[in-house]
Structures are given as structure tokens and as C-alpha cells.
Amino acid sequence: DAGVIQSPRHEVTEMGQEVTLRCKPISGHNSLFWYRQTMMRGLELLIYFNNNVPIDDSGMPEDRFSAKMPNASFSTLKIQPSEPRDSAVYFCASSLRDTNRGEQYFGPGTRLTVT
Amino acid sequence: DAKTTQPPSMDCAEGRAANLPCNHSTISGNEYVYWYRQIHSQGPQYIIHGLKNNETNEMASLIITEDRKSSTLILPHATLRDTAVYYCIVLIQGGSEKLVFGKGTKLTVNP
């Protein structure tokens, strides 16, 4: 298995632009998570889905952030408009909820820089 | 979920055992202890988890005290590639899947 796939790996954009991050979970996994990591705040959960349905979005910072999971093999995290404070590494993770819901598999991350 | 407390940093000599402690004194009966690690610039990696019995897998051993208020992750023969930040997390099995990562312990394995 290729593991969790994220794209792009690096993104540099200007303030005000729309940014879309993509994630392909491990095949067969039914939960998907979006995390953000910064030096100041550490690693924090933004939102997670189970069976493509958002379960907890309490970590989404504000309305500029949105996430979708149109099917079991694809999810997007969109920031519109982007701001410099959104600069961070964004990780996607997936898990098989029914067997061990604490065992999550993380992707390599997308490093976002907003100038 | 119960909070955890870990030392901010530890050092270990290559080839020796690394023992990483975690305090979770407010843990409840249905909360599991999970350990993850994050090697620089990579995504976190699941290591092991347990409820009350000691657990061992190919990566590490997890020792949980009888009162469950603390645990120790043991890397039996640390290598330079084990240098990473190690996170101890408690999670209610069957409840939310939300992992709350603290600051963890930065383990440095020295040659």
C-alpha cells in the first residue's frame, strides 16, 4: 500500500489567494483526519470524517477554512482567502475506525507558506 | 480525555534502552494509552497502545503501572534513527477519534 498520499508537498502562495490541499487515504480506511502543525501551537486536529461524513470540525479556525470528502478515496482542505498566519504543515491521516480508532496513519504533509 | 505530562527532552546512547515516561494521573478506566513519534519533517507514526497490561511489538514495549497513572515506553536498543519527538496520548476507546497531541518528549540518540 502506498500509504496516505498528500498533494502538493509544498505550496507557496500570496495572501488572499485560494489554496486547496488534497489527500488520498489508505484504501479501506473509513476515517480521515486533517491536522495542522506550527511551532507555536504544535499539532492540532482541524476536522475529521467518518464514512465521508464530517464528525468533528471544532478545530477549524474560521470560515476561511473548509473541508470536503466527496468519496472514500479523496478529501480536500481549502483555505480562501489565505493569510500569512495560515503558514504551517498540514497533515492528513486515515484510520480503520472499527478495529483501533486510535491508530492513525499520517501522510507526509503539505508545507504551506503564505506570503 | 485525560491530560498527559512528559519531560520535554531526553538523551540516550546508541544501543542502549530508551525509557520514556508519561504521567496520566487522571486517566479513567476506559481510556487507552497511545504512543506516537514524529521524526523531523515527517508525519507522526503510531508506535503502540495499551489499556492496563504491558504490551510489546516490533517497535517498542509499553509498561503501564498497576494504578494506570503512568506509563513508560521502552525502545530496547535505540538507534540514531529513533531520534524523534515522542507523544503520549490517552483516548477513550469507542469514543471520539480525536487525538490530542501535547508537546511530547524530544529524544536524542547519541552515537
Side-chain angles (χ1 to χ4, degrees):
Chain A
D1 199 317
V4 175
I5 299 173
Q6 293 187 246
S7 64
R9 293 293 308 278
H10 302 273
E11 177 81 32
V12 180
T13 190
E14 293 183 347
M15 182 174 64
Q17 297 297 307
E18 177 179 297
V19 175
T20 299
L21 311 181
R22 298 172 175 79
C23 175
K24 177 179 170 56
I26 292 173
S27 177
H29 281 189
N30 54 7
S31 289
L32 182 138
F33 308 79
W34 283 102
Y35 291 85
R36 177 174 69 176
Q37 187 169 36
T38 62
M39 289 293 292
M40 289 293 293
R41 300 177 64 89
L43 187 63
E44 52 185 349
L45 178 69
L46 300 178
I47 184 171
Y48 80 89
F49 297 81
N50 181 252
N51 292 327
N52 313 336
V53 176
I55 302 300
D56 186 341
D57 65 354
S58 59
M60 295 287 264
E62 49 198 272
D63 292 345
R64 296 186 298 107
F65 285 69
S66 62
K68 294 182 179 180
M69 192 164 186
N71 57 62
S73 58
F74 183 66
S75 176
T76 60
L77 178 67
K78 185 177 293 187
I79 308 172
Q80 165 65 14
S82 59
E83 297 182 2
R85 59 188 168 134
D86 301 330
S87 296
V89 180
Y90 291 81
F91 290 103
C92 177
S94 70
S95 72
L96 185 57
R97 182 187 192 197
D98 304 327
T99 57
N100 180 3
R101 58 181 61 198
E103 184 175 348
Q104 299 178 12
Y105 292 80
F106 284 73
T110 295
R111 182 173 296 277
L112 173 65
T113 302
V114 183
T115 60
Chain B
D1 293 330
K3 290 188 176 180
T4 63
T5 304
Q6 299 178 254
S9 64
M10 293 183 65
D11 283 273
C12 176
E14 188 178 20
R16 304 298 293 268
N19 298 284
L20 294 104
C22 179
N23 181 285
H24 31 79
S25 58
T26 61
I27 195 170
S28 59
N30 60 349
E31 285 184 309
Y32 283 68
V33 180
Y34 281 80
W35 283 84
Y36 278 75
R37 73 179 181 183
Q38 186 173 23
I39 296 170
H40 182 61
S41 297
Q42 297 182 20
Q45 177 189 22
Y46 164 82
I47 301 173
I48 198 168
H49 76 283
L51 182 62
K52 48 184 161 181
N53 297 322
N54 298 337
E55 302 287 345
T56 296
N57 63 19
E58 65 278 4
M59 290 182 68
S61 295
L62 174 61
I63 308 297
I64 302 175
T65 58
E66 192 169 344
D67 63 7
R68 302 188 67 240
K69 293 185 176 181
S70 65
S71 60
T72 301
L73 179 75
I74 301 172
L75 308 178
H77 304 287
T79 71
L80 299 180
R81 288 177 294 179
D82 292 322
T83 292
V85 178
Y86 287 77
Y87 298 97
C88 170
I89 302 166
V90 295
L91 182 72
I92 295 176
Q93 200 65 277
S96 169
E97 300 171 77
K98 184 174 180 176
L99 294 177
V100 178
F101 288 82
K103 297 184 185 301
T105 296
K106 173 63 191 281
L107 174 70
T108 302
V109 181
N110 300 303

